[in-house]
Each structure stands twice: as C-alpha cells, then as structure tokens.
Amino acid sequence: MHIDILTVLPELLESPLSHSIMKRAQDKGLLTVSLHALRKWAVNEYGQIDDYQFGGGAGMVMMPEPLANAIEELSASRTYDQIIYLTPDGQTLNQGIANRLSMADNLLMICGHYKGIDERIRQKYVTMEISIGDYVLSGGELAAAVLVDCIGRLIPGVLNDETSALFDSFQDNLLAPPVYTRPSDFRGMIVPDVLLSGDPKKIEAWRYEEAVKRTRERRPDLEAE
Ligand code: ADE
C-alpha cells in the first residue's frame, strides 16, 4: 500500500511513522508513506496557503488553489482508492472502516489546519471524511498518524503473528480479554488457573467469556451493533 499525506507540518508526522510496527511495515516493503509539504504549492513566494474566511470570523481557511494543484499533481501518478480528509465532522473512525481501508492500494490523506480547508475542495476531490473522535485537534496530522497506524498494522504480513490482529479489541465488536504474564503470583495477586492449565479449548472459552463480560460492562453499545 502507498499513502500520500498532504500537510503543512510534515515534521509532526515523521516520528509516529518511523517506529515500531509502522517502521516494520515500511522496512518489509508492505507500506510506503510520502509526506508532502503543502507549501510546495503555495500561491506566492511568501509560502501562503491560507487566507481569511469570507463572511468574517476568527481563524484562517486553507486556500483551494494549493490543495487542488497538489491533489492534481499527485493524482497524475496514482489512482487513489480514497482521498481522505481528516476532520472532526467526518465519520468516526472504527475498526470496520480501518479493515476496509487496509485493502486499498493507494490512499491520499489531507490534513486540515486552522479553520479547515475550503469547502469546494471537499466537494470536488475528497471521497471520504474521517474523524478520530468527538474532540478537536489543532490539525489533522495526529489524526492522520492514528489512521495510518491502525490501517498499516492490518496489511497482511505486517504483524509477525498473522492471527494477532484478529484478537484485537473491536474485531468482533468485542473488547479484548485481560492478559497476564510472569510471575503467576504478583504480590499475592494470582493469574487465573485456566491460563496455566495448558488446555487451549478451555483457555479460548475463558477468553471469549471474559471478552463478552468486559464488553457488557464497559461498552454495551458495541454488543448491540
Ligand atoms: N482535525 C481536528 N480534529 C480532528 C479529529 N477529531 N479527527 C480528525 N481530524 C481532526
């Protein structure tokens, strides 16, 4: 998969995408991510990419020209499965959306800043609008980092243990069960016997029960879905 990210602040994305599983995905050649500084397409030599909003009001709006020129230039060498705008008024990201996006070949992500991007860019180019939750970030960069991470780890071959993503929270609308490691007795707190039993069937049944219990207690809305 290849992901292009358009941003005014590429530096903000460099670190989250260069470690751990994201690094492994790129080292294995399963994922490539290119960060594109929007100022490259600025409208003048001062690097202008934003302007005051029509109708007045605080906050700048990202101008349509630099975005349109950037999107058109990038689209000339790739056919994007989706052009995604990260925005608090988009559809809320969940595991189902991540699963679907992990099957794409090419994605373009647009990070908004200030008051956001000119509406006409959303209408003409954007095919999907994603929010990472009901709160407002200073820009779309951290949201894009979250989106790349949760998609990237689902690309087949990225995780070492192919099955491990299947047991993540949310994959079956269930939260993950509790996990334990050594020692089996930590300051008098004992690991459930079943996990030491060596009986895979019993362990699987226990994990499922615990997942259901945890989901009912913490996120009954998931079970209803
Ligand atoms: N940009 C600002 N806030 C955001 C959010 N919650 N999700 C996605 N993009 C954003």
Side-chain angles (χ1 to χ4, degrees):
M1 179 189 298
H2 179 77
I3 302 177
D4 285 309
I5 305 181
L6 261 177
T7 165
V8 280
L9 284 171
E11 304 79 16
L12 248 183
L13 279 154
E14 273 160 18
S15 175
L17 302 179
S18 346
H19 300 282
S20 178
I21 292 167
M22 288 306 98
K23 179 175 187 312
R24 197 193 308 154
Q26 292 169 85
D27 289 348
K28 283 183 172 176
L30 297 167
L31 173 67
T32 49
V33 183
S34 303
L35 304 175
H36 304 277
L38 189 61
R39 285 202 202 278
K40 190 179 147 198
W41 291 274
V43 292
N44 55 32
E45 73 264 35
Y46 306 110
Q48 188 181 0
I49 44 102
D50 60 346
D51 211 333
Y52 296 102
Q53 53 177 316
F54 281 122
M60 306 292 269
V61 175
M62 287 166 72
M63 300 169 84
E65 265 170 295
L67 284 163
N69 289 335
I71 295 166
E72 283 168 12
E73 190 177 318
L74 294 170
S75 300
S77 41
R78 287 179 197 280
T79 306
Y80 293 110
D81 298 283
Q82 298 288 352
I83 297 183
I84 302 168
Y85 175 45
L86 284 311
T87 174
D89 61 6
Q91 59 178 318
T92 309
L93 180 61
N94 60 31
Q95 198 64 33
I97 297 173
N99 286 339
R100 263 172 270 133
L101 287 174
S102 73
M103 290 183 266
D105 294 320
N106 290 291
L107 296 173
L108 173 58
M109 298 183 188
I110 302 170
C111 305
H113 245 273
Y114 323 112
K115 275 279 164 197
I117 67 174
D118 189 286
E119 185 67 20
R120 290 164 291 185
I121 294 296
R122 298 173 71 160
Q123 286 166 1
K124 185 164 165 64
Y125 299 99
V126 170
T127 59
M128 204 174 176
E129 300 187 322
I130 293 183
S131 162
I132 63 160
D134 290 342
Y135 42 82
V136 180
L137 302 165
S138 324
E141 284 75 14
L142 297 180
V146 166
L147 184 57
V148 173
D149 189 293
C150 80
I151 295 171
R153 61 193 294 286
L154 294 170
I155 299 170
V158 168
L159 295 181
N160 273 342
D161 177 357
E162 276 287 2
T163 59
S164 72
L166 297 176
F167 297 107
D168 284 345
S169 278
F170 304 115
Q171 279 298 3
D172 297 314
N173 280 346
L174 285 177
L175 300 178
V179 292
Y180 299 86
T181 186
R182 279 185 287 191
S184 60
D185 178 344
F186 172 64
R187 300 180 184 171
M189 291 182 278
I190 311 288
V191 169
D193 276 347
V194 58
L195 295 177
L196 311 175
S197 70
D199 181 336
K201 279 222 168 82
K202 271 196 194 150
I203 292 172
E204 197 188 328
W206 180 86
R207 284 186 172 147
Y208 181 74
E209 263 168 45
E210 290 295 315
V212 171
K213 198 162 94 190
R214 191 158 270 200
T215 308
R216 268 183 203 152
E217 278 165 14
R218 299 183 183 196
R219 293 292 306 277
D221 57 303
L222 285 178
E223 244 201 336
E225 269 180 25

